[in-house]
Amino acid sequence: PTAQIIPELTPGPLLVGTVLGILFGAASLYLALKIGMTISASIPIAVMSISIFRWISKAFGTRSATILENNIVQTTGSAGESIAFGVAATMPALMLLGFEMDLTRVLTVSVLGGLLGILMMIPLRRGLVVKEHGKLAFPEGTACAEVLIAGEKGGTTAKTVFSGFGLGFLFKLLNGDGGLRLFKSIPERTLGFFKGGSVSMECAPELLGVGYIIGPKIASVMCAGGVLAYLVLIPAIAIFGDSLAAPMFPATKLIHDMSPGEIRKAYVLYIGAGAVAAGGIISLVRVMPTIAGAFIAGFKSLTAGKDATVSIERTDRDLPMWIVVLGSLVLLGGLMLLPSLHVSLPAALMILVFGFLFVTVSSRLTGEIGSSSNPISGMTLSTLLLTCLIFLAFNWTSPIDRVAALSIAAVVCIASSNGGTTAQDLKTGFLVGATPSKQQIGI
């Protein structure tokens, strides 16, 4: 209940959440580099948190963690997964362009992008999490709340999670993905009777887990995208481009000589990125009145004085708006002053504008389809394409400008990823009666 005050943002949950965030961040980084997507870490972290604190309570005779402390653990831990994806989606491009993957650049991009995602999400919380309650599903956030409630009643253990770990490990040990190679991990076949057509399926426990979490409806929509790409768009490009005498931009090979995978990489990937951007912008326009109302309410609380904040209920108390404004200004200065990013004032302003746009889109899409299937990579490609278009218009085309363009895309990518994850965590908090400001501090 709103009036009830129980332990929430305490050192123990923050420490456990940080350690689990590092572990799941490493696993998410591997998954993102391998298949280009990650799964929400909040649910397994919540289950493990309940089990860890229950064991500590029995072993040392201490009090068990409250439901809000377990919520802080999953909130803090989920940041590792969201930042890992943003790093995996952008930083390797530096190596492909011939630059070093130095620690300072990766750390700077991660910290600034993560903070930008949280700052942009603070004024959006009321509009997306509270006012859209019942309209936006937030599947992982809702499932995580159910796990925390079940744990409070004594009905959740880590046995199922560790069983999943064991089965996944056994599968990876036996298949052809670096294990004993007893069977192929990706069976595939090119259709000889259908020019340009092919079918394949990656049999992986992590993808099976993603399917469990996002459910049959969204999984079917994602599968339909693959069918549309490999059995409609790629064959169409192969058939109609077969007679071209010269390569068609952006590919450097004749379409006649390209495999289905090469056609996808050269053409279909950009169609998907454009569809993601268009769908996201449409969603943004639809929810803009709600967002505007949230911003106005936030700025009113900024100028209303200390007495106005006293009446705000605990479960509706965000970090104050002055933190968002001051934090954005500090980020703006940090982006320009750090030499490893090569970001000028116009580029820093682009990061703030694109950051707000795609954090909003990401948070909205997270509410509709979940964190696991949130198309952050498409938003990143859209950011990079828009950035390059602006850079080209001003003739900023040197190698250093390439690093700056990638820096913009990387910070926005991590901000979008962390913003969506923060929205999911705040939904969990909304359902269990947490204090939003404490969750925002924790993440």
Side-chain angles (χ1 to χ4, degrees), residues 346 350 354 383-396:
M350 286 166 60
F354 289 147
T383 302
L384 191 58
L385 289 169
L386 289 170
T387 300
C388 290
L389 188 65
I390 294 170
F391 275 32
L392 196 62
F394 288 94
N395 200 29
W396 299 338

Side-chain angles (χ1 to χ4, degrees), residues 72-209:
I72 285 293
V73 175
Q74 70 84 15
T75 299
T76 310
S78 64
E81 165 254 324
S82 60
I83 290 177
F85 176 80
V87 171
T90 53
M91 289 291 98
L94 289 170
M95 289 195 296
L96 299 177
L97 290 173
F99 296 95
E100 290 293 326
M101 276 271 285
D102 65 280
L103 178 63
T104 305
R105 183 181 286 122
V106 176
L107 181 64
T108 302
V109 165
S110 301
V111 171
L112 295 181
L115 289 174
L116 180 62
I118 301 165
L119 289 172
M120 295 295 104
M121 185 56 216
I122 289 171
L124 298 175
R125 184 193 67 85
R126 276 193 194 90
L128 293 176
V129 174
V130 180
K131 292 190 177 180
E132 293 286 309
H133 179 59
K135 298 177 183 177
L136 296 179
F138 285 100
E140 289 97 343
T142 303
C144 193
E146 294 294 335
V147 167
L148 292 172
I149 293 167
E152 187 74 2
K153 295 176 180 177
T156 297
T157 68
K159 182 179 179 181
T160 308
V161 173
F162 285 113
S163 298
F165 285 163
L167 288 170
F169 176 79
L170 183 64
F171 187 95
K172 285 291 186 182
L173 182 66
L174 298 178
N175 79 354
D177 190 21
L180 299 179
R181 302 181 186 277
L182 297 184
F183 52 89
K184 290 181 68 174
S185 56
I186 309 179
E188 55 188 331
R189 181 177 295 275
T190 301
L191 304 178
F193 61 89
F194 186 22
K195 185 177 182 63
S198 63
V199 290
S200 67
M201 181 174 70
E202 181 164 3
C203 306
E206 58 266 35
L207 295 180
L208 186 66

Side-chain angles (χ1 to χ4, degrees), residues 175-298:
N175 79 354
D177 190 21
L180 299 179
R181 302 181 186 277
L182 297 184
F183 52 89
K184 290 181 68 174
S185 56
I186 309 179
E188 55 188 331
R189 181 177 295 275
T190 301
L191 304 178
F193 61 89
F194 186 22
K195 185 177 182 63
S198 63
V199 290
S200 67
M201 181 174 70
E202 181 164 3
C203 306
E206 58 266 35
L207 295 180
L208 186 66
V210 171
Y212 270 120
I213 291 171
I214 65 176
K217 180 181 177 181
I218 301 303
S220 298
V221 172
M222 294 181 69
C223 183
V227 171
L228 180 66
Y230 278 87
L231 297 181
V232 179
L233 295 177
I234 293 175
I237 293 170
I239 292 169
F240 291 107
D242 188 52
S243 59
L244 289 179
M248 185 172 71
F249 183 82
T252 56
K253 291 173 64 176
L254 289 170
I255 290 178
H256 176 79
D257 299 326
M258 295 170 71
S259 67
E262 289 173 326
I263 293 176
R264 173 193 171 275
K265 187 176 180 181
Y267 305 113
V268 178
L269 191 66
Y270 296 99
I271 297 174
V276 166
I281 290 168
I282 291 168
S283 296
L284 175 63
V285 171
R286 288 171 60 186
V287 79
M288 189 54 74
T290 306
I291 294 168
F295 261 102
I296 292 168

